[in-house]
Amino acid sequence: MTMLPETWLAVLLRAHLGLTLGLLVVALLRRRWRRGVGAQLAYGLWLLPPGLALAAALPAPDSLRITLPSLQIDASGLAVAASGAPERAFVVQGAWLAGVALAVAMFVIRHHRYARALTRRRDATWRAPAGTSPGLLGAWRPQLVLPADIRQRFTADERRWILAHERAHARRGDNLFRLLASAVAALAWFNPLVWWALDALRHDQELACDAAVMQRHPQGWRAYGRALLKLDGAPGLPPTASAWQSHHPLKERILMLNDKQPSASARRWAQTALVATGLGALTLLQTVVIAAPRSDKPAASGITARDACPHMPTPEMPASLNLKGDYELNVKFTIGTDGRPSQLRIEGERQRIAAFIDPVEQAIRSYQCKAALAGTEIAQQFSFKLD
C-alpha cells in the first residue's frame, strides 16, 4: 500500500523529533556518565537516539481521524480535482531526497578514496600507505588494515596492542553501528546535530574500545599509551572503517587507560539509569507528538481515504445555480456501525454556503464506508469554483 507523500513526511518528521531529542540527551550526559561509570557503559547512551526515533515514528495509541481528499468543483458540478497531497509536500520531499542523495554520494566517494589507497594481501589483510594508522575495514566481516611500515614504526609489543584494539572493534560491531549511524545522518542531513553525532560516536567508540582492552589487560596501559602516541591520525575515514586516531583528545584517552573498572553496583546503576532516562525521554516525546496535529494518522495506521470510504460520489449541483466566486465547506462525520456517515457536521459561513449544504449533505449521506472503521472521525473539505 502506497503512503501519500505528506504522510511519509509526517512520519519522518516525527522520527526526526525523536532522534533529535535522543541526541540532545546523549550530548548532555555522555561525558558525565563516562566519568561516573566508565567508557563502555556510557557508550550505551547511543541506543537512545535510534530508539526514540523509532518510538516517535510509530502511530500514537489514540483515536483515529482520517482526512479525505478535498474536492474542487467547477460550475457544472463535475469534480475536476481530488487531491490529498499538496504540491508543497512533493517539493519538500524532492528537496529532502536530493539532500539524501548528496549525503550518500559523499560517503561513497569517501569510501572509494580510502579503499583506492589500499592493496590486498594474501593473508586476507589490507595494506595501507606508510605513515597511516592501523584500522579495520568492513561492516559485515571487517578485515585488518595495516600500514606498510607497521614493523618499522611499532614494536612487537605495540603491534599486539594494535591487534587487540582492532579485535575489540570487530567484536563490538562498531563499524556496522557507525554505518547505520551514517545512514541516519544521510536521512537527517539538514540537522547539524547528526554530523556532530558521527564524530562524537567515533570518539566514544574509541574510548569504549580502549576500556575493553584494558579490562582484559589492566597492567598494560603504559605500553598501550606509548602506541597511541605514535599515531598520525586517519582523516577522511568512510563509515565502514575504524582506525587508531590521535586527532581525538589524546590526553583524555591516555588518562582513561588507567581508570578503575566500574564495580558491579555501578554497572547496575548505569543500566537502571539508562532505562529510566530512556523512559523519561520517551514520555516527553509522546507528550509532544500526541499534542501536535496528526493529519497523517490514517496512513500511519495503514489506511488511506479510499480504504475508509471506497464509494465517494461527487455532489450534484443544480444547473440553475446563479452564483459566482470561490466557496469552501468543511465537513466532519463519523462512520456508523453500518458503514454509513453519521453525526454529520458542515462548517462555514451559513449564508454564503447555504446553496451548497443540501447537495454536499446528500453526497456524503450516500458515501459507503467500511463498517470495520465504525467510530472513526472523517474530515473533508469541499471547494467550489463558480464562474
Side-chain angles (χ1 to χ4, degrees):
M1 185 177 299
T2 302
M3 298 176 73
L4 295 175
E6 73 271 17
T7 299
W8 275 111
L9 289 174
V11 171
L12 289 171
L13 286 174
R14 293 203 308 273
H16 178 255
L17 177 63
L19 176 70
T20 301
L21 178 60
L23 291 177
L24 289 173
V25 172
V26 171
L28 180 66
L29 297 180
R30 57 191 282 264
R31 293 185 182 276
R32 293 179 174 86
W33 277 41
R34 200 157 59 225
R35 289 194 297 265
V37 298
Q40 292 190 84
L41 291 176
Y43 181 66
L45 280 173
W46 287 101
L47 295 174
L48 286 177
L52 292 177
L54 179 61
L58 296 175
D62 52 351
S63 61
L64 183 65
R65 176 174 297 178
I66 295 176
T67 300
L68 297 185
S70 64
L71 295 179
Q72 298 176 3
I73 302 174
D74 64 12
S76 64
L78 298 177
V80 298
S83 173
E87 292 184 3
R88 180 178 58 183
F90 287 99
V91 174
V92 173
Q93 187 180 36
W96 171 70
L97 288 174
V100 172
L102 287 174
V104 171
M106 179 190 70
F107 290 133
V108 171
I109 291 172
R110 187 179 295 177
H111 179 86
H112 177 69
R113 288 177 176 173
Y114 181 79
R116 188 173 54 185
L118 305 179
T119 56
R120 186 72 167 170
R121 303 281 293 185
R122 292 182 179 179
D123 58 358
T125 63
W126 294 94
R127 273 294 182 266
T132 57
S133 290
L136 206 64
L137 178 64
W140 310 111
R141 294 180 179 178
Q143 296 174 328
L144 276 172
V145 177
L146 301 175
D149 59 347
I150 186 171
R151 293 186 177 275
Q152 290 75 37
R153 290 167 54 203
F154 299 94
T155 66
D157 188 42
E158 291 166 348
R159 291 197 298 271
R160 283 193 292 271
W161 291 118
I162 289 172
L163 295 178
H165 180 92
E166 300 307 333
R167 281 196 294 266
H169 273 306
R171 284 195 306 270
R172 294 160 49 84
D174 286 344
N175 285 7
L176 177 59
F177 193 78
R178 199 163 50 252
L179 176 62
L180 297 176
S182 298
V184 172
L187 294 174
W189 56 266
F190 49 87
N191 187 343
L193 267 179
V194 301
W195 302 107
W196 163 85
L198 288 182
D199 284 338
L201 173 64
R202 189 182 290 275
H203 175 48
D204 287 359
Q205 284 182 338
E206 294 299 329
L207 291 176
C209 220
D210 292 341
V213 174
M214 289 298 97
Q215 186 176 16
R216 293 191 171 199
H217 311 282
Q219 304 304 319
W221 69 273
R222 294 182 184 275
Y224 193 91
R226 285 195 298 269
L228 284 176
L229 291 173
K230 292 185 178 182
L231 299 178
D232 295 323
L237 282 175
T240 55
S242 58
W244 271 35
Q245 300 182 73
S246 59
H247 69 272
H248 288 307
L250 186 57
K251 182 179 179 181
E252 181 184 13
R253 288 187 68 178
I254 294 177
L255 288 176
M256 290 192 68
L257 294 180
N258 199 30
D259 280 357
K260 294 181 179 180
Q261 296 297 322
S263 63
S265 60
R267 289 194 295 270
R268 286 193 297 271
W269 176 89
Q271 292 164 356
T272 303
L274 179 60
V275 172
T277 301
L279 290 175
L282 181 60
T283 301
L284 174 62
L285 178 64
Q286 289 296 318
T287 301
V288 173
V289 170
I290 292 175
R294 298 289 296 275
S295 63
D296 61 295
K297 281 188 180 179
S301 300
I303 302 171
T304 65
R306 287 293 175 186
D307 289 327
C309 300
H311 180 66
M312 296 187 297
T314 303
E316 296 182 2
M317 304 302 300
S320 60
L321 193 63
N322 187 23
L323 291 173
K324 292 185 178 181
D326 298 334
Y327 302 84
E328 288 187 357
L329 289 79
N330 294 309
V331 178
K332 294 181 180 179
F333 63 88
T334 302
I335 298 178
T337 55
D338 58 354
R340 296 288 184 179
S342 63
Q343 302 178 26
L344 176 62
R345 302 182 301 281
I346 299 179
E347 301 173 354
E349 297 182 31
R350 303 300 291 186
Q351 290 184 339
R352 181 172 170 78
I353 66 173
F356 304 95
I357 292 178
D358 286 344
V360 169
E361 183 172 353
Q362 290 177 12
I364 293 178
R365 294 292 184 193
S366 62
Y367 280 13
Q368 295 178 6
C369 305
K370 291 187 175 180
L373 296 176
T376 300
E377 181 179 303
I378 303 292
Q380 188 172 25
Q381 183 185 77
F382 292 80
S383 299
F384 297 86
K385 184 176 181 62
L386 306 178
D387 296 325

